[in-house]
Amino acid sequence: RAKRQGKNTVCFFNAGMDRAVRDRRTLENDLRRAVESDGIALAYQPVLSVETGQITSAEALARWTHPSRGAISPETFISLAEESGLIDRLGDQLLRRACTDARDWPSHVRVAVNLSPLQFVSGGLVGRIRSVLEEVGLEADRLQLEVTEGLMIRDVERTFGQLEQLRGLGMQVLIDDFGVGYSSLSYFQRFSFDKVKIDKSFVDTIATSHTSRAIVQSVVELGRKLGMGVVAEGVETEEQMRLLLECGCTHLQGYLFSRPIAADAIRHLLARDSGSADHTVDLATTGV
Ligand code: C2E
Ligand code: MG
Ligand code: MG
Ligand code: MG
């Protein structure tokens, strides 16, 4: 009897594993189909300059609405794309879309595109970005590339080499989610980032933690000395904004100013933001 029960348990366990594997495979197939039909969308979140109060860039953030499961988080489908070999194709597609959308924006506004570490592996990235810019007709200096620190643990020299080339072509390179993960200050010895994006976790706690505030201050100081702007991401409250301004952050981004919005909406917002010479977004007003 015990033997039989054991056997059943094993069968049940296997069935559970089978289902998990099947679910994953199904989602992967759905993602492949979505990529093939150009079905992954982009939302854009503005980034404001502290100095001028104006929007100086907008970050492109991938969005997938699954036909039956609804919205799937980018963390989930980007890592699925990375694991299933879809990331190069998806990355190219999103880059092309972001550049095409940005062509309609005022020329002082840049578009920021997030890159997966895996997009640096094949070796063809620099050439592909170049031809996208050429085909779309967007100047290289309108494009910002956001890379994470996780990037660096893969093949450091190869990756920095490609980033160097991209920067040489006129693109800005930003280090994203700075201060979490595999942070190493030695990256700054090997590569000149244009901007540092301080991870949201420090912004979240800046009003309650002296440590967070000290870290933000130090990153700003480092940025000043190395000629890098410092962007605070995930700013949600006026209190956080006040402290970040006090620390000397050069750029702010977060729900306090705007959530990520559709391409049409950002185009209208940008037209309004730069419509009159002296109109600027008031840093103290919520809900742009
Ligand atoms: P990230 O690049 O660090 O993007 C910032 C994330 O914080 C976005 O989440 C954004 O919607 C969210 N955020 C911004 N301001 C606030 C705020 O005030 N409060 C809160 N609670 N959240 C805020 P999202 O869009 O879910 O993206 C998550 C991550 O997925 C991104 O982090 C990025 O690592 C990755 N991702 C998104 N789109 C792409 C893409 O096109 N390519 C790649 N490779 N990764 C992407
Ligand atoms: Mg980012
Ligand atoms: Mg970030
Ligand atoms: Mg992040």
Side-chain angles (χ1 to χ4, degrees):
R1 191 166 182 251
K3 204 173 171 185
R4 213 156 86 198
Q5 202 172 19
K7 214 171 172 182
N8 284 341
T9 306
V10 169
C11 285
F12 177 75
F13 183 59
N14 280 342
M17 289 206 319
D18 275 356
R19 176 175 316 171
V21 170
R22 253 186 294 125
D23 273 3
R24 231 195 86 91
R25 221 167 268 156
T26 306
L27 197 63
E28 198 179 297
N29 282 331
D30 295 345
L31 180 63
R32 179 162 287 119
R33 215 163 301 132
V35 171
E36 275 162 9
S37 63
D38 220 352
I40 309 293
L42 283 175
Y44 294 94
Q45 187 181 32
V47 177
L48 283 76
S49 154
V50 167
E51 200 188 333
T52 65
Q54 282 199 313
I55 298 168
T56 47
S57 65
E59 179 178 5
L61 294 158
R63 295 291 179 259
W64 182 26
T65 308
H66 187 278
S68 59
R69 298 191 203 193
I72 312 271
S73 81
E75 270 107 350
T76 302
F77 70 81
I78 294 290
S79 48
L80 197 59
E82 289 173 338
E83 287 157 24
S84 58
L86 282 167
I87 193 64
D88 277 348
R89 178 150 183 203
L90 176 59
D92 288 356
Q93 195 174 101
L94 294 177
L95 176 79
R96 181 176 298 271
R97 178 104 39 79
C99 291
T100 307
D101 288 338
R103 217 178 25 191
D104 296 336
W105 302 350
S107 60
H108 67 277
V109 181
R110 295 182 163 109
V111 63
V113 172
N114 291 283
L115 295 179
S116 156
L118 290 188
Q119 290 179 263
F120 291 85
V121 173
S122 72
L125 184 66
V126 177
R128 294 205 308 276
I129 293 182
R130 242 183 130 150
S131 42
V132 165
L133 287 170
E134 221 171 84
E135 283 162 38
V136 168
L138 191 77
E139 297 297 322
D141 64 8
R142 299 278 308 280
L143 180 60
Q144 291 180 331
L145 304 169
E146 296 195 4
V147 298
T148 51
E149 294 169 292
L151 171 75
M152 313 308 174
I153 56 172
R154 262 168 204 282
D155 189 343
V156 183
E157 289 319 318
R158 226 174 119 81
T159 301
F160 278 130
Q162 292 172 74
L163 288 175
E164 212 71 74
Q165 291 179 52
L166 292 165
R167 203 161 177 266
L169 291 168
M171 285 156 245
Q172 287 199 340
V173 179
L174 279 59
I175 186 157
D176 201 358
D177 301 341
F178 184 74
V180 296
Y182 301 89
S183 316
S184 172
L185 294 172
S186 71
Y187 297 144
F188 297 123
Q189 288 182 307
R190 311 165 83 152
F191 184 74
S192 303
F193 290 94
D194 293 279
K195 288 186 177 72
V196 179
K197 294 188 86 170
I198 297 183
D199 191 71
K200 184 182 181 315
S201 56
F202 301 107
V203 174
D204 283 342
T205 51
I206 196 166
T208 51
S209 156
H210 287 293
T211 310
S212 293
R213 204 190 304 189
I215 290 170
V216 174
Q217 280 166 344
S218 307
V219 174
V220 168
E221 181 69 13
L222 185 72
R224 221 173 255 148
K225 289 186 170 152
L226 299 182
M228 302 179 294
V230 176
V231 188
E233 65 174 13
V235 187
E236 292 181 345
T237 69
E238 305 231 356
E239 170 82 354
Q240 288 168 357
M241 179 183 73
R242 192 177 59 72
L243 294 166
L244 292 162
L245 293 177
E246 223 172 78
C247 287
C249 289
T250 63
H251 294 78
L252 304 175
Q253 178 183 27
Y255 291 177
L256 179 62
F257 311 103
S258 172
R259 287 183 176 252
I261 53 179
D264 273 357
I266 193 86
R267 193 160 38 81
H268 288 125
L269 176 64
L270 291 172
R272 204 179 66 198
D273 186 47
S274 53
S276 64
D278 53 7
H279 169 80
T280 58
V281 173
D282 183 354
L283 282 175
T285 358
T286 57
V288 167

